[in-house]
Amino acid sequence: MRIVVKVGTSTLAHPNGLLNIRRVEELCKVLSDLKNAGNDMILVSSGAIGMGVGKLHLNSRPRDVASKQAAAAVGQCELMYTYDKLFSEYNHTVAQLLITGSDFESKDRYDNFINTMNKLLEFSTLPIVNENDTVATEEIKVGDNDTLSAMVAVSIHADLLILLSDIDGLFTADPHKDRDATLISVVSEITDDIKKLAGDKGTTLGTGGMKTKIHAAEISTANGCDMIIANGSDPKILYDILDGKSVGTRFLKKRV
Ligand code: GLU
């Protein structure tokens, strides 16, 4: 299988922006194992800005563009350094791909991205994608990695997109506010009612939220790729998913 896994900042970092070492170590171990089992694994990783915030000892995520871009430049190094180190322990070579929305709009750049990605997979590397936050301004950026990961999954014809989040999946109501909220395990069609279930608040360090996840599901399922939202607090959940267990919320691809 060709699997794209997206991890959000809230999964990778503590609330203060510093690396959640135990979580990231476990994530790299599980991804390495799934790759050893013969799967093509592609990671879409957030965390550049969040980790930059931690490393620069800023009190909170900055609001102005230049500071966010500077934080991303610092944090992206930290991220890739960490991934390179941890995946090396399992003999896997990582590759960094930083892209923006405009790269998907230009045919040449889109083709180049796909060619590079295919070559990296042929070389048996583990590609790690993030938005190129240091140059991506409002007009050209995708803006959130949920959407970006769906665009990546579709472009390389992935079999499955998994969004690891700080929530178990999509609920019938906000589980933080409503004790009767239940997890929806399968969504076969993204109706207006499903879209209404998504609030739009993310965490303080990340950018996403359920709204961007539903948007990602729309892109992914419309283009032949199932998508799962699952809780990334224990990355071993990826084993359950590949074992076919019902985990989180699965959005089924549209049948044609
Ligand atoms: N590209 C951003 C970062 O690495 C994250 C975007 C997102 O959280 O969706 O900080």
Side-chain angles (χ1 to χ4, degrees):
M1 290 236 287
R2 182 169 280 193
I3 304 160
V4 176
V5 177
K6 182 257 169 180
V7 273
T9 306
S10 56
T11 303
L12 296 168
H14 293 290
N16 62 6
L18 295 179
L19 191 70
N20 186 327
I21 296 173
R22 182 166 49 173
R23 179 91 44 80
V24 176
E25 280 187 353
E26 190 64 30
L27 176 72
C28 293
K29 187 172 168 183
V30 175
L31 290 173
S32 295
D33 199 19
L34 293 175
K35 189 162 170 52
N36 283 352
N39 301 293
D40 280 344
M41 303 303 295
I42 298 99
L43 181 61
V44 175
S45 176
S46 302
I49 299 176
M51 240 159 261
V53 168
K55 204 146 193 212
L56 292 168
H57 306 293
L58 306 178
N59 293 330
S60 60
R61 189 181 163 97
R63 287 174 189 273
D64 67 293
V65 176
S67 304
K68 269 195 253 181
Q69 293 183 325
V74 171
Q76 184 65 27
C77 291
E78 170 88 346
L79 259 187
M80 288 312 293
Y81 167 74
T82 306
Y83 283 134
D84 195 12
K85 194 167 75 144
L86 294 175
F87 281 115
S88 295
E89 287 180 17
Y90 302 102
N91 260 324
H92 288 300
T93 301
V94 295
Q96 171 184 259
L97 295 100
L98 297 177
I99 51 174
T100 66
S102 62
D103 296 322
F104 282 91
E105 277 152 26
S106 137
K107 186 175 177 335
D108 280 354
R109 272 142 73 180
Y110 185 64
D111 288 347
N112 279 331
F113 169 73
I114 295 171
N115 291 342
T116 306
M117 192 60 121
N118 284 331
K119 193 50 86 177
L120 287 167
L121 292 170
E122 194 185 308
F123 285 154
S124 206
T125 67
L126 201 148
I128 302 178
V129 186
N130 194 359
E131 181 130 39
N132 195 355
D133 293 315
T134 54
V135 295
T137 51
E138 213 53 59
E139 311 79 61
I140 60 160
K141 70 181 179 184
V142 177
D144 70 89
N145 277 0
D146 295 324
T147 307
L148 181 72
S149 64
M151 290 160 77
V152 168
V154 168
S155 73
I156 55 167
H157 304 294
D159 301 292
L160 183 61
L161 168 63
I162 303 170
L163 305 186
L164 291 181
S165 180
D166 54 2
I167 189 157
D168 289 344
L170 180 66
F171 284 81
T172 51
D174 184 344
H176 300 115
K177 294 184 194 142
D178 186 341
R179 288 174 55 197
D180 294 331
T182 52
L183 182 72
I184 302 173
S185 51
V186 178
V187 174
S188 48
E189 199 190 341
I190 302 167
T191 58
D192 286 345
D193 286 343
I194 291 288
K195 286 188 204 164
K196 273 191 215 130
L197 293 177
D200 45 15
K201 264 212 333 215
T203 57
T204 45
L205 280 175
T207 15
M210 204 40 86
K211 202 171 174 180
T212 54
K213 289 178 178 51
I214 303 283
H215 184 225
E218 282 185 293
I219 297 173
S220 166
T221 56
N223 291 283
C225 181
D226 276 15
M227 188 191 101
I228 294 175
I229 302 172
N231 198 321
S233 60
D234 181 0
K236 285 205 280 300
I237 201 166
L238 291 170
Y239 289 127
D240 293 339
I241 294 174
L242 290 212
D243 286 345
K245 294 187 187 150
S246 171
V247 168
T249 303
R250 186 174 195 122
F251 295 80
L252 301 179
K253 64 182 171 199
K254 284 198 182 139
R255 317 273 150 190
V256 276

